Amino acid sequence: MELVSIITPCYNSEKYITETYQSIKNQSYTNWEWIIVDDYSRDNSVLVIRSFNDERIKLFVQENNQGAANARNLALSNVSGRYITFIDSDDLWLPNFLETTIHYLKNNNENLVYTSYKRVDENLKPLLKDFIAIDKVDYGRILYNCPIPMLTSVYDSSVIGIIKFPQVELREDHAMWIELLKKIKYARAIEESLAIYRIRENSVSRNKFNIALKQYNVYRKFLKMNFLNSAYYTFFWALNGLKKYGKL
């Protein structure tokens, strides 16, 4: 049973992180390490994490707030597992998430897989329809938006290597998948919903107007596209975002 490295940035998550831990602890696939980077939380997150008393947990505590990308990169610098996966400190996996995804990667000789997931409010009440994973996302497709969720993705680092998160404000996840898909043909999908994504009202990522310029900068500054191409892809990113959250 290959080791899986689970990456989690944590910031002021004392209210939710115990539920996240329970969902990891309850996995049918048990050979994992959980690497948590606390990004200078001002609540009791660190005390809660230390109370788990699980030797599979590696906790790093930052002395100043550096953001999710830096936190994930620190965690990635300390992984020991072949398979890399991510879960935020307020989200949940269903008990068969790791077993199903690792089995799929091995049996189908694939390098990156992700699954559908349930979308709930802060109290775990259903909020939107399940996000349904689309199959065979390649480099050309991911330029239009980011259909690969951090929460349900698993990749094989023995083939791909460790892919760090670029310094792209608020859009580091999209930029990372773009870089990763330069190395493989496509990501594969499992349609079954195997995780629970908590949509919180105060989430920065929920304010699409706030991040539209940041998304434009992914194309213009990170990928060095010209103005017209950057505007073109930003338009389709916005359109896909509206569809994703049922606005169209």
Side-chain angles (χ1 to χ4, degrees), residues 141-173:
R141 170 62 183 81
I142 204 169
L143 292 178
Y144 286 90
N145 75 318
C146 188
I148 304 175
M150 300 299 302
L151 172 61
T152 68
S153 60
V154 184
Y155 72 82
D156 185 348
S157 70
S158 72
V159 176
I160 298 172
I162 301 296
I163 307 298
K164 295 293 185 69
F165 286 78
Q167 296 300 315
V168 180
E169 187 179 3
L170 297 181
R171 307 307 298 147
E172 67 274 358
D173 55 341

Short mmCIF file of all heavy atoms in Angstrom, two decimals, residues 141-173:
data_model
loop_
_atom_site.label_atom_id
_atom_site.label_comp_id
_atom_site.label_asym_id
_atom_site.label_seq_id
_atom_site.Cartn_x
_atom_site.Cartn_y
_atom_site.Cartn_z
N ARG A 141 -7.98 22.64 -22.48
CA ARG A 141 -9.27 22.81 -21.79
C ARG A 141 -9.12 23.63 -20.52
O ARG A 141 -9.98 24.47 -20.20
CB ARG A 141 -9.86 21.43 -21.47
CG ARG A 141 -11.08 21.45 -20.55
CD ARG A 141 -12.25 22.22 -21.16
NE ARG A 141 -13.37 22.29 -20.25
CZ ARG A 141 -13.49 23.15 -19.25
NH1 ARG A 141 -12.51 24.03 -19.01
NH2 ARG A 141 -14.55 23.16 -18.48
N ILE A 142 -8.04 23.43 -19.78
CA ILE A 142 -7.94 24.09 -18.48
C ILE A 142 -7.67 25.58 -18.59
O ILE A 142 -7.82 26.33 -17.63
CB ILE A 142 -6.87 23.41 -17.59
CG1 ILE A 142 -7.18 23.68 -16.10
CG2 ILE A 142 -5.47 23.87 -17.97
CD1 ILE A 142 -6.38 22.87 -15.14
N LEU A 143 -7.33 26.05 -19.78
CA LEU A 143 -7.16 27.48 -19.96
C LEU A 143 -8.48 28.23 -19.81
O LEU A 143 -8.51 29.40 -19.43
CB LEU A 143 -6.55 27.78 -21.33
CG LEU A 143 -5.10 27.32 -21.54
CD1 LEU A 143 -4.66 27.63 -22.96
CD2 LEU A 143 -4.16 27.97 -20.53
N TYR A 144 -9.59 27.57 -20.08
CA TYR A 144 -10.90 28.24 -20.05
C TYR A 144 -11.44 28.42 -18.63
O TYR A 144 -12.17 29.36 -18.36
CB TYR A 144 -11.90 27.45 -20.89
CG TYR A 144 -11.65 27.61 -22.38
CD1 TYR A 144 -10.81 26.74 -23.06
CD2 TYR A 144 -12.25 28.65 -23.09
CE1 TYR A 144 -10.58 26.88 -24.42
CE2 TYR A 144 -12.02 28.81 -24.45
CZ TYR A 144 -11.18 27.93 -25.11
OH TYR A 144 -10.95 28.09 -26.45
N ASN A 145 -11.14 27.51 -17.77
CA ASN A 145 -11.46 27.63 -16.35
C ASN A 145 -10.79 26.45 -15.65
O ASN A 145 -10.08 25.68 -16.29
CB ASN A 145 -12.97 27.67 -16.08
CG ASN A 145 -13.64 26.32 -16.21
OD1 ASN A 145 -13.33 25.57 -17.14
ND2 ASN A 145 -14.55 26.02 -15.32
N CYS A 146 -11.00 26.33 -14.36
CA CYS A 146 -10.31 25.27 -13.60
C CYS A 146 -11.32 24.25 -13.08
O CYS A 146 -11.85 24.40 -11.97
CB CYS A 146 -9.53 25.88 -12.44
SG CYS A 146 -8.48 24.67 -11.60
N PRO A 147 -11.63 23.20 -13.86
CA PRO A 147 -12.60 22.20 -13.42
C PRO A 147 -12.02 21.14 -12.49
O PRO A 147 -12.74 20.24 -12.06
CB PRO A 147 -13.05 21.58 -14.74
CG PRO A 147 -11.85 21.66 -15.62
CD PRO A 147 -11.15 22.95 -15.23
N ILE A 148 -10.71 21.25 -12.19
CA ILE A 148 -10.08 20.26 -11.31
C ILE A 148 -10.05 20.82 -9.90
O ILE A 148 -9.30 21.76 -9.61
CB ILE A 148 -8.65 19.94 -11.78
CG1 ILE A 148 -8.64 19.46 -13.23
CG2 ILE A 148 -8.02 18.89 -10.87
CD1 ILE A 148 -7.25 19.24 -13.79
N PRO A 149 -10.85 20.30 -8.99
CA PRO A 149 -10.86 20.83 -7.62
C PRO A 149 -9.69 20.30 -6.81
O PRO A 149 -9.29 19.14 -6.94
CB PRO A 149 -12.20 20.29 -7.06
CG PRO A 149 -12.46 19.07 -7.85
CD PRO A 149 -11.85 19.26 -9.21
N MET A 150 -9.13 21.16 -5.98
CA MET A 150 -8.08 20.72 -5.07
C MET A 150 -8.57 19.60 -4.18
O MET A 150 -7.86 18.63 -3.91
CB MET A 150 -7.61 21.89 -4.19
CG MET A 150 -7.04 23.08 -4.92
SD MET A 150 -5.57 22.69 -5.86
CE MET A 150 -4.52 22.05 -4.60
N LEU A 151 -9.79 19.71 -3.73
CA LEU A 151 -10.36 18.81 -2.73
C LEU A 151 -10.41 17.36 -3.18
O LEU A 151 -10.28 16.47 -2.35
CB LEU A 151 -11.77 19.30 -2.36
CG LEU A 151 -12.62 18.40 -1.48
CD1 LEU A 151 -11.96 18.19 -0.12
CD2 LEU A 151 -14.01 19.00 -1.31
N THR A 152 -10.60 17.09 -4.46
CA THR A 152 -10.79 15.71 -4.90
C THR A 152 -9.72 15.24 -5.87
O THR A 152 -9.91 14.23 -6.56
CB THR A 152 -12.18 15.52 -5.55
OG1 THR A 152 -12.22 16.24 -6.79
CG2 THR A 152 -13.29 16.00 -4.63
N SER A 153 -8.61 15.94 -5.94
CA SER A 153 -7.55 15.56 -6.89
C SER A 153 -6.48 14.72 -6.20
O SER A 153 -6.15 14.94 -5.04
CB SER A 153 -6.93 16.82 -7.48
OG SER A 153 -6.36 17.61 -6.45
N VAL A 154 -5.94 13.77 -6.95
CA VAL A 154 -4.81 12.96 -6.49
C VAL A 154 -3.88 12.77 -7.68
O VAL A 154 -4.33 12.41 -8.77
CB VAL A 154 -5.25 11.57 -5.98
CG1 VAL A 154 -4.05 10.80 -5.42
CG2 VAL A 154 -6.34 11.69 -4.93
N TYR A 155 -2.58 13.03 -7.48
CA TYR A 155 -1.66 12.78 -8.60
C TYR A 155 -0.47 11.94 -8.14
O TYR A 155 -0.13 11.88 -6.96
CB TYR A 155 -1.23 14.07 -9.29
CG TYR A 155 -0.27 14.99 -8.56
CD1 TYR A 155 1.10 14.76 -8.57
CD2 TYR A 155 -0.73 16.14 -7.91
CE1 TYR A 155 1.99 15.62 -7.94
CE2 TYR A 155 0.16 17.02 -7.29
CZ TYR A 155 1.52 16.75 -7.31
OH TYR A 155 2.40 17.61 -6.70
N ASP A 156 0.15 11.30 -9.13
CA ASP A 156 1.27 10.40 -8.89
C ASP A 156 2.58 11.17 -9.05
O ASP A 156 2.99 11.48 -10.17
CB ASP A 156 1.19 9.24 -9.89
CG ASP A 156 2.25 8.17 -9.64
OD1 ASP A 156 3.17 8.41 -8.85
OD2 ASP A 156 2.14 7.09 -10.27
N SER A 157 3.22 11.47 -7.96
CA SER A 157 4.45 12.28 -8.01
C SER A 157 5.64 11.49 -8.56
O SER A 157 6.64 12.08 -8.96
CB SER A 157 4.79 12.84 -6.63
OG SER A 157 5.21 11.81 -5.75
N SER A 158 5.54 10.18 -8.60
CA SER A 158 6.64 9.38 -9.16
C SER A 158 6.75 9.58 -10.66
O SER A 158 7.82 9.35 -11.25
CB SER A 158 6.45 7.90 -8.84
OG SER A 158 5.40 7.33 -9.60
N VAL A 159 5.68 10.02 -11.28
CA VAL A 159 5.66 10.30 -12.71
C VAL A 159 5.77 11.79 -12.98
O VAL A 159 6.56 12.25 -13.80
CB VAL A 159 4.38 9.75 -13.36
CG1 VAL A 159 4.31 10.13 -14.84
CG2 VAL A 159 4.29 8.24 -13.19
N ILE A 160 4.99 12.57 -12.25
CA ILE A 160 4.86 14.00 -12.51
C ILE A 160 5.92 14.82 -11.79
O ILE A 160 6.37 15.86 -12.27
CB ILE A 160 3.45 14.49 -12.11
CG1 ILE A 160 2.39 13.77 -12.94
CG2 ILE A 160 3.32 16.00 -12.26
CD1 ILE A 160 0.96 14.03 -12.49
N GLY A 161 6.35 14.33 -10.63
CA GLY A 161 7.20 15.12 -9.76
C GLY A 161 6.36 15.94 -8.80
O GLY A 161 5.13 15.84 -8.77
N ILE A 162 6.98 16.75 -7.99
CA ILE A 162 6.27 17.63 -7.06
C ILE A 162 6.09 18.98 -7.74
O ILE A 162 7.05 19.65 -8.09
CB ILE A 162 7.06 17.81 -5.75
CG1 ILE A 162 7.28 16.45 -5.08
CG2 ILE A 162 6.33 18.77 -4.82
CD1 ILE A 162 6.02 15.75 -4.63
N ILE A 163 4.83 19.37 -7.93
CA ILE A 163 4.52 20.62 -8.61
C ILE A 163 4.17 21.68 -7.56
O ILE A 163 3.18 21.55 -6.83
CB ILE A 163 3.33 20.46 -9.58
CG1 ILE A 163 3.59 19.28 -10.54
CG2 ILE A 163 3.09 21.75 -10.36
CD1 ILE A 163 4.80 19.45 -11.42
N LYS A 164 5.00 22.71 -7.46
CA LYS A 164 4.75 23.77 -6.49
C LYS A 164 3.72 24.77 -7.03
O LYS A 164 3.44 24.83 -8.23
CB LYS A 164 6.06 24.51 -6.18
CG LYS A 164 7.11 23.64 -5.49
CD LYS A 164 6.68 23.24 -4.09
CE LYS A 164 7.76 22.48 -3.34
NZ LYS A 164 8.92 23.31 -2.97
N PHE A 165 3.17 25.56 -6.13
CA PHE A 165 2.15 26.54 -6.48
C PHE A 165 2.82 27.86 -6.88
O PHE A 165 3.58 28.43 -6.09
CB PHE A 165 1.20 26.77 -5.31
CG PHE A 165 0.24 25.64 -5.09
CD1 PHE A 165 0.66 24.48 -4.45
CD2 PHE A 165 -1.07 25.72 -5.54
CE1 PHE A 165 -0.21 23.42 -4.26
CE2 PHE A 165 -1.94 24.66 -5.34
CZ PHE A 165 -1.52 23.51 -4.71
N PRO A 166 2.55 28.35 -8.08
CA PRO A 166 3.12 29.64 -8.50
C PRO A 166 2.57 30.78 -7.65
O PRO A 166 1.50 30.68 -7.06
CB PRO A 166 2.66 29.77 -9.96
CG PRO A 166 2.32 28.37 -10.39
CD PRO A 166 1.79 27.71 -9.16
N GLN A 167 3.30 31.87 -7.61
CA GLN A 167 2.88 33.05 -6.86
C GLN A 167 1.91 33.88 -7.71
O GLN A 167 2.28 34.89 -8.29
CB GLN A 167 4.10 33.86 -6.44
CG GLN A 167 5.03 33.14 -5.49
CD GLN A 167 4.34 32.74 -4.18
OE1 GLN A 167 3.60 33.52 -3.59
NE2 GLN A 167 4.58 31.52 -3.74
N VAL A 168 0.68 33.40 -7.78
CA VAL A 168 -0.38 34.06 -8.54
C VAL A 168 -1.50 34.34 -7.55
O VAL A 168 -2.20 33.42 -7.13
CB VAL A 168 -0.87 33.18 -9.70
CG1 VAL A 168 -1.98 33.90 -10.47
CG2 VAL A 168 0.28 32.83 -10.63
N GLU A 169 -1.70 35.57 -7.17
CA GLU A 169 -2.61 35.93 -6.09
C GLU A 169 -4.02 35.42 -6.32
O GLU A 169 -4.64 35.71 -7.33
CB GLU A 169 -2.63 37.45 -5.90
CG GLU A 169 -3.43 37.89 -4.67
CD GLU A 169 -3.40 39.40 -4.48
OE1 GLU A 169 -2.83 40.10 -5.33
OE2 GLU A 169 -3.97 39.86 -3.48
N LEU A 170 -4.52 34.65 -5.38
CA LEU A 170 -5.88 34.09 -5.35
C LEU A 170 -6.16 33.05 -6.42
O LEU A 170 -7.19 32.38 -6.37
CB LEU A 170 -6.94 35.20 -5.44
CG LEU A 170 -6.98 36.22 -4.32
CD1 LEU A 170 -8.10 37.22 -4.56
CD2 LEU A 170 -7.16 35.55 -2.96
N ARG A 171 -5.27 32.87 -7.38
CA ARG A 171 -5.51 31.92 -8.47
C ARG A 171 -4.38 30.89 -8.56
O ARG A 171 -4.13 30.32 -9.62
CB ARG A 171 -5.64 32.67 -9.81
CG ARG A 171 -6.65 33.78 -9.83
CD ARG A 171 -8.04 33.36 -9.35
NE ARG A 171 -8.61 32.33 -10.20
CZ ARG A 171 -9.40 31.36 -9.73
NH1 ARG A 171 -9.67 31.27 -8.44
NH2 ARG A 171 -9.90 30.47 -10.56
N GLU A 172 -3.70 30.66 -7.45
CA GLU A 172 -2.56 29.76 -7.47
C GLU A 172 -2.93 28.33 -7.80
O GLU A 172 -2.13 27.58 -8.39
CB GLU A 172 -1.81 29.81 -6.14
CG GLU A 172 -2.56 29.26 -4.95
CD GLU A 172 -3.47 30.28 -4.27
OE1 GLU A 172 -3.50 31.44 -4.72
OE2 GLU A 172 -4.15 29.90 -3.30
N ASP A 173 -4.16 27.91 -7.44
CA ASP A 173 -4.58 26.55 -7.76
C ASP A 173 -4.70 26.36 -9.27
O ASP A 173 -4.22 25.37 -9.83
CB ASP A 173 -5.87 26.19 -7.05
CG ASP A 173 -7.01 27.17 -7.32
OD1 ASP A 173 -6.73 28.31 -7.76
OD2 ASP A 173 -8.17 26.80 -7.10
#
